[in-house]
Amino acid sequence: MKKTVGFIGWRGMVGSVLIQRMVEENNFSNIHAVFFSTSQPGKVGPNIQESNILQDAYNFDCLITMDIIISCQGGKYTDDTYQKLRSLGWNGYWIDAASSLRLHEDAIIVLDPINLQDIYSAINIGVKTFVGGNCTVSLMLMALGGLFFNNLIEWVLFSTYQAASGAGSRHIIELVKQMGYLYQSVENKLYKKKYSILDIEKTMSKSIQEINFPKQEFFAPLAGNVLPWIDCAMQNNQTKEEWKVQVEANKILNINNTIPIDGTCVRVGTFRCHSQAFTIKLKKDLSYSNIHNILQEHNNWIRIIPNNVHSTLNLLTPCAVTGTLNIAVGRIRKLNISTNLLSVFSVGDQLLWGAAEPLRRTLMILLST
Ligand code: HSE
């Protein structure tokens, strides 16, 4: 019998990408899908299966009838419903994109190219809660999985270049508005034969400071700027985004000795791909061909990009990777600062492997067990 799967937050960015991927992979043919809404119950839902009237996402009588629930609605919805649903005796599978439940003892963070065996073990012992990891964490593990898997990493230092999408859809819109605002401020000067670049730069820098410059979402300009702060402050001077990396990565890796991972998370003016620069302390010296093979063989989505200008500018960028499941890994080189220090740059789509894809794949794993 087909399992009944409830979708909550399917209209948001991560939810939409999830639905898109499920349609591409024909995943809806295996399930009976029920679409929920927090704001428009009773209205018509997506045209995917015959019955598509939206159910109330706060109707526990209905939620409790689901075999599996996937929420991309955000942490508040999870906080409002998850415990109550469990306390009502609901014993179905809960798959979540939000961070609320990630560190719960009885939840597993899912990234099956890294922890498929742990996911199976969790299912066998009755774990019912499966949560997608933070996007920078998932993308880092996808990129460096081979080195982690072969126990070759002593520690990792990272700098991230995180896209506007990680902050939410309204932030992407605001970034584009900021770009437009800047363009308009100098449009009449750009196409003159004789232009003063210092005048153009000064005009843009001034317009960024104007009261009307759109920054209601980011609270700062992102176009023409970088923002080295993501999420709230932790007591140890990290941001929460930085704090999550070591904690979540080690939970996913599920090894005895914690691998130290730290760095700086930075928002940049890209749309939906997160990039990351890693400095990796290897436990031993490896040849370049060994490193390439170890990285490449870990999963099917790795694209090793040769360390030259043409390949890097064409293949190792957010523009090249966006909308694909590829994990581009390049600029691989040994640093001359100290022995066994490796530098790697990687790019991945924050909405795909960074968010929706591990959830979709988890649903498929749960349906197949
Ligand atoms: N927290 C991430 C970001 C996205 O702000 O880019 C979600 O994992």
Side-chain angles (χ1 to χ4, degrees):
M1 210 170 85
K2 285 184 181 179
K3 293 268 193 273
T4 302
V5 181
F7 291 83
I8 297 134
W10 51 273
R11 234 189 301 246
M13 240 184 338
V14 173
S16 306
V17 172
L18 173 72
I19 302 298
Q20 203 175 53
R21 284 289 298 135
M22 287 187 63
V23 169
E24 279 168 17
E25 298 290 334
N26 196 24
N27 294 152
F28 282 102
S29 60
N30 303 329
I31 60 170
H32 171 57
V34 177
F35 293 92
F36 287 84
S37 171
T38 54
S39 55
Q40 299 185 311
K43 296 252 168 75
V44 176
N47 197 12
I48 289 174
Q49 290 189 346
E50 274 169 32
S51 69
N52 65 344
I53 297 301
L54 296 176
Q55 303 298 311
D56 183 351
Y58 290 101
N59 178 350
F60 286 85
D61 291 338
C62 185
L63 289 170
I64 214 165
T65 64
M66 299 296 115
D67 295 306
I68 301 175
I69 289 174
I70 302 193
S71 174
C72 300
Q73 182 70 29
K76 183 171 182 317
Y77 178 79
T78 300
D79 295 344
D80 288 347
T81 52
Y82 175 82
Q83 287 302 347
K84 178 159 180 205
L85 200 52
R86 290 286 188 221
S87 69
L88 290 171
W90 183 71
N91 201 24
Y93 289 119
W94 178 280
I95 304 174
D96 205 330
S99 64
S100 316
L101 301 171
R102 273 184 205 145
L103 300 182
H104 275 213
E105 257 180 23
D106 54 0
I108 182 158
I109 307 180
V110 287
L111 187 63
D112 66 275
I114 300 288
N115 66 350
L116 181 62
Q117 287 316 316
D118 288 339
I119 294 172
Y120 281 134
S121 305
I123 295 168
N124 282 338
I125 61 167
V127 170
K128 299 286 181 181
T129 307
F130 298 83
V131 188
N134 173 275
C135 45
T136 47
V137 176
S138 298
L139 295 173
M140 174 186 71
L141 292 176
M142 288 297 289
L144 305 181
L147 296 174
F148 281 114
F149 181 75
N150 287 289
N151 191 22
L152 290 164
I153 294 184
E154 200 171 312
W155 50 255
V156 181
L157 179 66
F158 60 81
S159 288
T160 70
Y161 308 78
Q162 295 182 225
S165 59
S169 59
R170 288 199 303 266
H171 295 72
I172 302 186
I173 303 288
E174 184 167 277
L175 172 62
V176 180
K177 284 181 184 166
Q178 292 185 352
M179 289 169 164
Y181 195 99
L182 287 181
Y183 177 75
Q184 278 173 4
S185 73
V186 291
E187 187 179 7
N188 62 350
K189 303 178 190 205
L190 291 179
Y191 300 100
K192 288 193 176 150
K193 273 206 178 130
K194 282 196 172 172
Y195 60 82
S196 158
I197 191 59
L198 290 185
D199 176 40
I200 289 172
E201 181 280 320
K202 195 172 163 193
T203 307
M204 287 196 298
S205 294
K206 243 175 91 183
S207 80
I208 280 184
Q209 307 297 341
E210 282 169 8
I211 190 115
N212 290 330
F213 190 80
K215 52 178 194 232
Q216 289 76 14
E217 304 297 335
F218 282 113
F219 306 114
L222 182 60
N225 212 6
V226 297
L227 304 175
W229 190 283
I230 296 177
D231 211 332
C232 57
M234 303 299 285
Q235 288 201 332
N236 65 356
N237 292 327
Q238 286 179 308
T239 64
K240 193 164 185 191
E241 187 78 356
E242 291 154 1
W243 173 83
K244 282 176 179 175
V245 182
Q246 175 173 308
V247 174
E248 289 188 21
N250 278 284
K251 178 164 180 178
I252 295 169
L253 291 167
N254 190 21
I255 41 180
N256 288 334
N257 298 327
T258 298
I259 299 178
I261 309 172
D262 202 352
T264 305
C265 290
V266 183
R267 186 79 64 202
V268 298
T270 55
F271 301 124
R272 61 179 274 186
C273 280
H274 284 4
S275 309
Q276 305 186 58
F278 303 108
T279 302
I280 302 154
K281 174 75 172 171
L282 292 174
K283 289 185 177 171
K284 60 180 179 200
D285 193 22
L286 298 167
S287 69
Y288 277 113
S289 70
N290 242 341
I291 293 168
H292 286 199
N293 288 341
I294 287 167
L295 290 170
Q296 179 67 71
E297 282 166 10
H298 179 262
N299 68 66
N300 291 334
W301 298 274
I302 297 273
R303 301 288 176 269
I304 300 287
I305 311 301
N307 189 24
N308 63 56
V309 61
H310 181 79
S311 302
T312 300
L313 297 189
N314 284 291
L315 302 171
L316 190 60
T317 63
C319 289
V321 172
T322 190
T324 76
L325 289 160
N326 294 347
I327 303 290
V329 179
R331 296 306 328 278
I332 299 170
R333 64 189 190 90
K334 299 179 187 182
L335 296 179
N336 55 21
I337 298 171
S338 170
T339 50
N340 300 347
L341 279 185
L342 183 69
S343 183
V344 174
F345 192 88
S346 102
V347 186
D349 188 305
Q350 182 265 331
L351 295 172
L352 284 164
W353 272 118
E357 190 66 2
L359 304 184
R360 185 192 72 78
R361 294 170 64 88
T362 300
L363 173 61
M364 292 305 115
I365 291 168
L366 292 175
L367 290 171
S368 69
T369 54

